[in-house]
């Protein structure tokens, strides 16, 4: 049985999320805003994906991440568990539009935020994950986002190649991230993120 989470319950579950998480809308963030809003930015490989149901009967999909590079946050952390609302558990399917999707073996850059519940999630829902893919034409690794339709099966091995004009090399993407982390938050507000939080997490951030 497939269900869409009720607005009231979804609002309760995502309390403490970044500005982009809501029941029906997702505010588009720039790369700089995603960097600023992230507690942790890492490159890593998804080693396992599973689903759990919490005490409210809400399904969460969880992904074990093995870190290969840290751009912001504690460089001593070699693993993270990332949570997203929605998924399949015990015959129940919960759908959250714009939610991040994962598959085992996926190599990606993750922009992560610590939720009030203690869970770790991607900033801006699916905006906080860039999958790494080999461009067969340039032979360069590129970083890009792909958002499957609700209910569509997800496997990073079969992602379509983005249009040539939208291909960003991993080296250029990493440079943009590290430059922003080094420069620091510019003081500009990000919708839904408190100034205190932005000051706190960016004071702790460090480029590797």
């Amino acid at each position: 049985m497939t269900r869409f989470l009720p607005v009231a319950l979804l609002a309760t579950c995502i309390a403490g999320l970044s500005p982009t998480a809501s029941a029906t809308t997702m505010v588009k963030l720039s790369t700089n805003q995603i960097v600023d809003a992230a507690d942790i930015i890492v490159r890593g490989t998804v080693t396992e994906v599973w689903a759990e149901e919490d005490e409210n009967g809400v399904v969460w999909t969880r992904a074990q991440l093995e870190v290969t590079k840290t751009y912001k946050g504690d460089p001593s952390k070699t693993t993270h568990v990332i949570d997203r609302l929605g998924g399949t558990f015990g015959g129940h399917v919960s759908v959250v539009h714009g939610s991040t999707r994962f598959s085992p073996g996926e190599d990606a850059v993750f922009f992560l935020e610590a939720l009030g519940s203690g869970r770790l999630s991607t900033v801006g829902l699916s905006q906080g994950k860039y999958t790494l893919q080999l461009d067969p034409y340039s032979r360069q690794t590129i970083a890009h986002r792909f958002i499957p339709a609700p209910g569509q099966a997800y496997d990073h091995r079969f992602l379509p190649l983005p249009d040539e004009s939208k291909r960003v090399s991993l080296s250029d993407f990493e440079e943009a991230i590290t430059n922003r982390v080094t420069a620091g938050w510019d003081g500009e507000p990000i919708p839904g993120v408190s100034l205190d939080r932005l000051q706190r997490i960016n004071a702790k951030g460090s480029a590797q």
Side-chain angles (χ1 to χ4, degrees):
M1 178 177 67
T2 301
R3 63 171 177 163
F4 292 81
L5 292 183
V7 172
L9 179 57
L10 181 57
T12 299
C13 294
I14 63 177
L17 281 174
S18 74
T20 57
S22 70
T24 57
T25 61
M26 182 168 62
V27 177
K28 186 176 181 180
L29 298 178
S30 67
T31 300
N32 283 346
Q33 287 175 318
I34 295 174
V35 171
D36 293 343
D39 295 271
I40 299 165
I41 306 173
V42 295
R43 176 182 176 179
T45 301
V46 176
T47 58
E48 185 179 1
V49 180
W50 71 99
E52 295 178 357
E53 195 172 67
D54 67 17
E55 62 276 9
N56 296 313
V58 176
V59 176
W60 293 81
T61 296
R62 316 195 78 192
Q64 175 83 18
L65 180 67
E66 295 293 335
V67 175
T68 56
K69 188 171 185 178
T70 300
Y71 309 97
K72 183 180 181 182
D74 183 356
S76 69
K77 292 283 290 183
T78 59
T79 62
H80 293 292
V81 175
I82 308 172
D83 289 295
R84 74 166 181 90
L85 276 173
T88 302
F89 181 82
H92 294 101
V93 180
S94 296
V95 177
V96 178
H97 289 281
S99 186
T100 312
R101 306 286 291 280
F102 313 101
S103 66
E106 184 171 16
D107 185 14
V109 175
F110 298 84
F111 299 79
L112 304 173
E113 61 177 337
L115 309 184
S117 63
R119 295 180 184 270
L120 200 62
S121 189
T122 50
V123 173
L125 301 176
S126 56
Q127 296 182 85
K129 188 197 76 174
Y130 282 76
T131 299
L132 304 182
Q133 183 177 11
L134 178 66
D135 180 347
Y137 300 101
S138 68
R139 307 304 299 175
Q140 288 186 317
T141 298
I142 60 174
H144 72 105
R145 290 185 299 210
F146 176 78
I147 304 174
Q152 178 183 352
Y154 179 78
D155 190 325
H156 74 280
R157 296 173 299 173
F158 304 109
L159 298 187
L161 194 67
D163 293 340
E164 186 175 1
S165 61
K166 296 181 180 179
R167 295 174 200 169
V168 178
S169 71
L170 174 60
S171 58
D172 287 347
F173 191 54
E174 287 183 317
E175 183 178 9
I177 293 170
T178 55
N179 285 347
R180 183 63 175 188
V181 173
T182 300
W185 173 53
D186 59 9
E188 290 296 317
I190 298 175
V193 184
S194 72
L195 298 182
D196 287 344
R197 182 175 183 277
L198 286 168
Q199 291 171 341
R200 172 175 55 80
I201 64 178
N202 287 292
K204 294 180 180 180
S206 59
Q208 302 303 315

